């Protein structure tokens, strides 16, 4: 299976300029490729292949000398990216979703480029990038497995290296234990066993700060320098919150995978079909979706199972006898009038989720 490892890069001034320039040149080629495909279709009534487009690159380099500053495979990958967006477009047309024709990307929003096979290597704590140089990298955790591709990302003024790595599945021993998880507002998650996972205080603090920055931004005049600064601060804050959330997700997922063979979760795709007007709850759900992705990927590499169940009514039905016990979001306790079960509402929901999976 494929796994992504992300590391921070610390380019010097000259390298940073080259990185920006590479993104810029890739965006030019991207938009050219897109235009060619559109023209080929509208004027020539035919479609261009990735192969044809990639083969046109040497001529493009003759016309525009700047393109020689970019490693050839990186430019070739731009052709593959355009192809992907077109394939996705045709798939949407087929399934009669809203198709949304592939759009041009402004250079400022073109934030990454990929080395699909070669052109990069390690030299101590430096990452050697072809046509860029030896860039300082912080390997905060070891890079295991066979590296397939390397994508360089720009995010809020920082640079990152994302390695896509083929990793072997290392099965954990079977322990015949299963659990259901319910996601909450106050707590991050509650298990059917009664165990709970809190949102770490660091995260809650960062979230509070985020709200403050949002309020401040709304007071600034449009187009002002102060507003620009506030936007920047807010983006930084968003990134911090996202990092801390991801960190929590990884830790909780690791714990669950070590303790249970089968883990039952709510299927959010079904849940999202039911309109959710509770804002905080829907934000929580968004985070939950990321957590399930991380959990599923960890489970896959450990030979564990994650089962998604229909979440309808899991918090309202009695996990003991099946009676429907209606309660508002503010009611934290489940009291069943039929079988007299008295239990925390989240634990009740988690048990229901587990029951649906087995
Ligand atoms: Zn009951």
């Amino acid at each position: 299976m494929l796994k992504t490892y992300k590391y921070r890069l610390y380019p010097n001034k000259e390298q940073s300029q080259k990185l920006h320039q590479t993104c810029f040149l890739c965006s030019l080629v991207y938009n050219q490729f897109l235009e060619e495909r559109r023209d080929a279709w509208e004027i020539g009534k035919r479609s261009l292949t990735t192969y044809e487009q990639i083969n046109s690159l040497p001529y493009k380099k003759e016309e525009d000398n700047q393109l020689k500053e970019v490693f050839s495979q990186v430019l070739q990958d731009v052709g593959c990216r355009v192809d992907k967006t077109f394939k996705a477009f045709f798939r949407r047309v087929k399934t009669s979703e809203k198709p949304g024709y592939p759009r041009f990307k402004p250079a400022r929003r073109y934030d990454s480029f990929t080395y699909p096979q070669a052109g990069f290597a390690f030299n101590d704590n430096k990452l050697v990038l072809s046509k860029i140089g030896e860039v300082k990298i912080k390997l905060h955790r070891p890079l295991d497995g066979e590296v397939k591709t390397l994508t360089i990302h720009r995010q809020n003024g920082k640079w990152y290296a994302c390695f896509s790595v083929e990793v072997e599945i290392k099965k954990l021993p079977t322990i015949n234990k299963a659990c259901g998880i319910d996601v909450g507002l106050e707590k991050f998650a509650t298990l059917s066993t009664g165990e709970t996972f809190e949102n770490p205080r660091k995260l809650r603090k960062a979230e509070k700060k985020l709200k403050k920055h949002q309020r401040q931004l709304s007071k600034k005049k449009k187009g002002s320098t102060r507003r620009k600064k506030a936007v920047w601060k807010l983006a930084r804050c968003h990134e911090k919150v996202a990092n801390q959330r991801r960190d929590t997700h990884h830790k909780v997922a690791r714990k669950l995978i070590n303790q249970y063979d089968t883990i039952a979760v709510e299927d959010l795709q079904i849940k999202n079909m039911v309109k959710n007007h509770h804002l905080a709850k829907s934000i929580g759900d968004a985070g939950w979706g990321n957590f399930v992705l991380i959990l599923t990927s960890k489970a896959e590499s450990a030979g564990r199972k994650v089962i998604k169940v229909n979440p309808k009514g899991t918090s309202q039905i009695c996990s003991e006898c099946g009676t429907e016990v209606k309660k508002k979001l503010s009611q934290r306790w489940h009291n069943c009038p039929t079988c007299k079960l008295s239990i925390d509402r989240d634990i009740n929901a988690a048990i229901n989720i587990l029951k649906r999976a087995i």
Side-chain angles (χ1 to χ4, degrees), residues 318-323 334 336 338-341:
C318 175
S319 60
E320 188 66 37
C321 68
T323 306
H334 168 87
C336 178
T338 315
C339 71
K340 306 289 180 238
L341 176 70

Side-chain angles (χ1 to χ4, degrees), residues 122-320:
F122 279 101
N123 183 10
D124 285 333
N125 58 347
K126 300 250 171 78
L127 179 64
V128 188
L129 297 173
S130 186
K131 303 269 183 177
I132 307 279
E134 291 195 9
V135 185
K136 229 170 102 186
I137 184 169
K138 193 181 173 197
L139 289 168
H140 63 282
R141 59 172 174 152
L143 179 62
D144 290 329
E146 189 194 337
V147 176
K148 293 286 178 192
T149 66
L150 165 63
T151 299
I152 306 293
H153 272 283
R154 175 175 59 197
Q155 196 180 2
N156 292 334
K158 294 177 198 149
W159 293 96
Y160 297 90
C162 295
F163 296 89
S164 180
V165 172
E166 181 75 46
V167 288
E168 265 179 66
I169 294 176
K170 284 182 203 144
K171 276 197 177 176
L172 289 172
T174 335
I175 36 181
N176 286 320
K177 269 190 176 173
C179 77
I181 320 172
D182 180 60
V183 58
L185 266 182
E186 287 120 68
K187 287 178 196 109
F188 170 64
T190 304
L191 303 193
S192 48
T193 55
E195 194 182 346
T196 57
F197 292 98
E198 302 275 345
N199 280 315
R201 192 194 285 161
K202 234 167 72 185
L203 174 61
R204 277 177 295 163
K205 246 188 178 167
E207 280 173 335
K208 247 189 211 160
K209 228 182 193 172
L210 184 67
K211 271 188 202 138
K212 198 183 96 192
H213 283 310
Q214 272 164 339
R215 268 197 313 272
Q216 280 172 342
L217 176 65
S218 66
K219 287 182 204 152
K220 303 280 186 287
K221 228 196 233 156
K222 272 197 181 151
S224 66
T225 321
R226 285 184 170 187
R227 191 185 157 90
K228 268 181 208 151
K229 273 188 189 158
V231 168
W232 181 252
K233 267 189 189 161
L234 184 64
R236 282 265 159 132
C237 207
H238 262 299
E239 197 188 332
K240 251 192 191 155
V241 168
N243 286 345
Q244 270 159 12
R245 229 177 244 153
R246 199 182 326 112
D247 194 47
T248 313
H249 291 168
H250 274 284
K251 278 182 188 149
V252 175
R254 173 51 51 208
K255 256 192 157 174
L256 291 171
I257 297 297
N258 287 341
Q259 286 174 25
Y260 302 96
D261 304 290
T262 306
I263 300 155
V265 296
E266 293 178 308
D267 189 340
L268 272 185
Q269 266 178 332
I270 301 177
K271 199 170 180 180
N272 284 342
M273 281 184 226
V274 190
K275 274 231 164 112
N276 196 342
H277 292 293
H278 198 286
L279 184 67
K281 183 94 178 97
S282 61
I283 291 166
D285 286 351
W288 179 245
N290 287 333
F291 171 69
V292 172
L293 281 180
I294 290 169
L295 183 68
T296 313
S297 137
K298 280 204 198 312
E300 212 180 302
S301 59
R304 304 290 209 213
K305 240 194 283 176
V306 173
I307 301 175
K308 291 179 186 166
V309 303
N310 187 343
K312 195 168 176 269
T314 44
S315 59
Q316 312 293 334
I317 291 164
C318 175
S319 60
E320 188 66 37

